[in-house]
Amino acid sequence: MAIDDRVGQSGSGVRRDLRDALGALAATPRLLVALDFDGTLAPVVDDPEKARATPEARAAVERLIEVPDTRVALVSGRSLQDLEQVAPFGDRVLLVGSHGIELRLDDPDDVLALDDGERRQLDVLEQVLDQIADTLDTVWIEPKPAGFAVHTRLATERHSRVAHLVAINELKAEAPDATVRLGKDVIEFSVRSTTKGEAVEHLRRYTHATAVFYAGDDVTDEDAFVALTADDLGVKSGDGPTAADHRVAGVKEVAAVLSLLATLRETHARDAPGTN
Ligand SMILES: [Mg+2]
């Protein structure tokens, strides 16, 4: 049966080559649908707290969640806490926050599992950074999912420079594998450096997926697209260079693609029950 006959009107607006690729993907035994949030399910807005998935995207994701042998994951640069606040799917989806550093899988207590080596590094980080914060009282330390942020906003320029230098030098000796990320009035140290690509690999193993669908709009989503294999399908939302196989104009079109994927996957589950 041609895909057009099976999906009726819900495939309208999705290009032929993408429709065909979605048809092939929908027949996979176990499907992982991994989705960026901002710029993919939700239009980008000035106040990040106000970002919401469009009703169409939300409806399509709700349908995908219900299909047997299909898991949905949101993969975002937002912190896990942020992501939980803006994403409306509760614990029915898997969540990846902070570009892969934070994971919330099915066990709600298992939000981030550092290994022993990372835990030791985290302890060292904390000791070194606490010392610096004690010495310079305008510098304060914020715990992060896999590290710490050293805030120097209230420090004089000189103190801020001292804090940066001391932190970097001490940690070079004490925790050489820590990742350092410089921001405005903040320096972040992390014992885990990861990407959305690694997150997708992790989710693929965790869900035992036989194929992955990924959609995203940003530069960091490119790591995920690169991690996809020939059996997977990547859809880039919006402009910009991409390694994804397919591109759509934006959030509205992503929702149409997800709606079609839901229809195809529902049809597959109905036509071939229990074969997975
Ligand atoms: Mg995005």
Side-chain angles (χ1 to χ4, degrees):
M1 204 192 301
I3 289 169
D4 289 334
D5 299 333
R6 277 185 278 149
V7 301
Q9 286 304 303
S10 74
S12 56
V14 179
R15 277 173 43 164
R16 175 98 224 176
D17 57 339
L18 179 49
R19 265 187 290 167
D20 290 346
L22 289 165
L25 184 79
T28 201
R30 282 179 306 282
L31 177 64
L32 167 65
V33 179
L35 305 165
D36 171 51
F37 186 75
D38 298 279
T40 303
L41 296 183
V44 174
V45 290
D46 287 341
D47 181 356
E49 280 180 26
K50 297 217 170 84
R52 291 293 178 271
T54 62
E56 294 77 17
R58 187 173 170 165
V61 169
E62 295 281 359
R63 286 169 61 202
L64 283 164
I65 289 170
E66 294 303 318
V67 183
D69 298 308
T70 307
R71 295 303 306 268
V72 178
L74 302 185
V75 182
S76 176
R78 287 174 181 261
S79 74
L80 202 54
Q81 211 182 355
D82 257 27
L83 189 56
E84 281 174 332
Q85 272 163 14
V86 294
F89 310 111
D91 59 7
R92 294 169 300 146
V93 296
L94 307 168
L95 294 183
V96 176
S98 305
H99 302 292
I101 289 177
E102 298 180 281
L103 297 174
R104 196 202 67 195
L105 303 177
D106 290 308
D107 178 355
D109 297 327
D110 183 20
V111 291
L112 172 76
L114 296 178
D115 64 31
D116 288 346
E118 288 173 328
R119 232 176 272 282
R120 274 194 299 277
Q121 285 219 11
L122 201 61
D123 287 343
V124 174
L125 269 184
E126 188 168 23
Q127 281 167 26
V128 170
L129 298 178
D130 275 349
Q131 273 173 25
I132 293 168
D134 285 349
T135 321
L136 303 168
D137 57 9
T138 48
V139 169
W140 81 96
I141 309 293
E142 177 199 2
K144 300 288 267 188
F148 298 91
V150 180
H151 292 274
T152 55
R153 197 162 59 237
L154 299 181
T156 61
E157 200 181 317
R158 189 169 157 274
H159 276 181
S160 161
R161 231 178 16 243
V162 168
H164 283 194
L165 281 175
V166 172
I168 286 170
N169 278 332
E170 293 256 336
L171 289 169
K172 212 180 278 172
E174 303 283 345
D177 296 333
T179 305
V180 184
R181 214 176 279 126
L182 289 168
K184 192 177 183 309
D185 298 327
V186 64
I187 179 167
E188 283 193 43
F189 297 89
S190 175
V191 298
R192 180 176 288 185
S193 164
T194 187
T195 67
K196 286 188 171 187
E198 288 169 59
V200 165
E201 283 316 306
H202 191 94
L203 291 171
R204 185 199 298 276
R205 285 193 301 274
Y206 178 76
T207 59
H208 302 286
T210 48
V212 176
F213 174 90
Y214 189 91
D217 71 309
D218 213 337
V219 177
T220 54
D221 294 303
E222 291 303 314
D223 293 316
F225 291 132
V226 168
L228 300 183
T229 68
D231 291 333
D232 303 331
L233 177 54
V235 175
K236 159 89 173 176
S237 170
D239 298 332
T242 186
D245 303 323
H246 297 270
R247 183 197 301 275
V248 296
V251 170
K252 185 163 166 273
E253 290 75 16
V254 171
V257 169
L258 291 174
S259 173
L260 175 55
L261 180 58
T263 301
L264 292 165
R265 192 68 182 153
E266 285 162 354
T267 306
H268 171 75
R270 222 170 21 242
D271 291 352
T275 55
N276 297 339

